[in-house]
Amino acid sequence: MYYYFGGEYLSKPNNNQQQEYRRVRTPKKGEIPGVVEQIMGHGKLKVRCADGNIRMTRIPGKMKKRIWIREGDVILVKPWDFQSDEKADVIWRYTKTESNWLERKGYLKM
């Protein structure tokens, strides 16, 4: 049996296999973490960002079919150059474990 994980197929982990560790992607300059509040449809989301703004974000085409985003997920957004307080693009979706780590480290101040 194979499981789909992060762009590759992996076999079912056995007890003798070691657990894989991934480094959490931290926000770089110009990127803001946020929580999905509402799914609008057609690849659009309302996101409450860590800076206090609620932005209308869009999921780019390269992510649309590969990553499913639900309400309550923590994502990383990049505001547009114009209308930066209103609109942004989604660039990353964090897993539950990664979002807990971000909250502990102080990246999510909501």
Side-chain angles (χ1 to χ4, degrees), residues 6 20 28 46 84 88 93 103 108:
E20 180 183 335
K28 296 177 178 60
K46 270 192 184 175
S84 62
R93 179 182 61 99
E103 199 166 351
L108 290 176

Side-chain angles (χ1 to χ4, degrees), residues 6-78:
E8 60 186 56
Y9 286 95
L10 301 173
S11 62
K12 186 175 179 181
N14 297 332
N15 290 340
N16 57 1
Q17 289 180 341
Q18 290 186 355
Q19 189 175 4
E20 180 183 335
Y21 293 101
R22 277 191 343 188
R23 188 175 292 264
V24 177
R25 187 184 194 287
T26 56
K28 296 177 178 60
K29 185 177 180 184
E31 299 174 349
I32 304 168
V35 179
V36 178
E37 282 196 340
Q38 188 176 6
I39 298 172
M40 307 300 286
H42 297 287
K44 303 261 194 295
L45 311 166
K46 270 192 184 175
V47 177
R48 179 175 300 280
C49 297
D51 63 355
N53 292 334
I54 297 177
R55 290 185 170 86
M56 180 68 72
T57 62
R58 70 181 183 100
I59 305 170
K62 67 179 185 177
M63 291 179 67
K64 207 176 274 191
K65 295 279 187 337
R66 297 184 180 167
I67 294 177
W68 287 26
I69 298 176
R70 298 177 298 271
E71 289 182 14
D73 282 353
V74 176
I75 60 174
L76 192 60
V77 298
K78 182 167 179 62

Side-chain angles (χ1 to χ4, degrees), residues 55-56 79-88:
R55 290 185 170 86
M56 180 68 72
W80 289 3
D81 293 335
F82 57 96
Q83 293 182 330
S84 62
D85 290 340
E86 299 171 11
K87 299 190 178 185

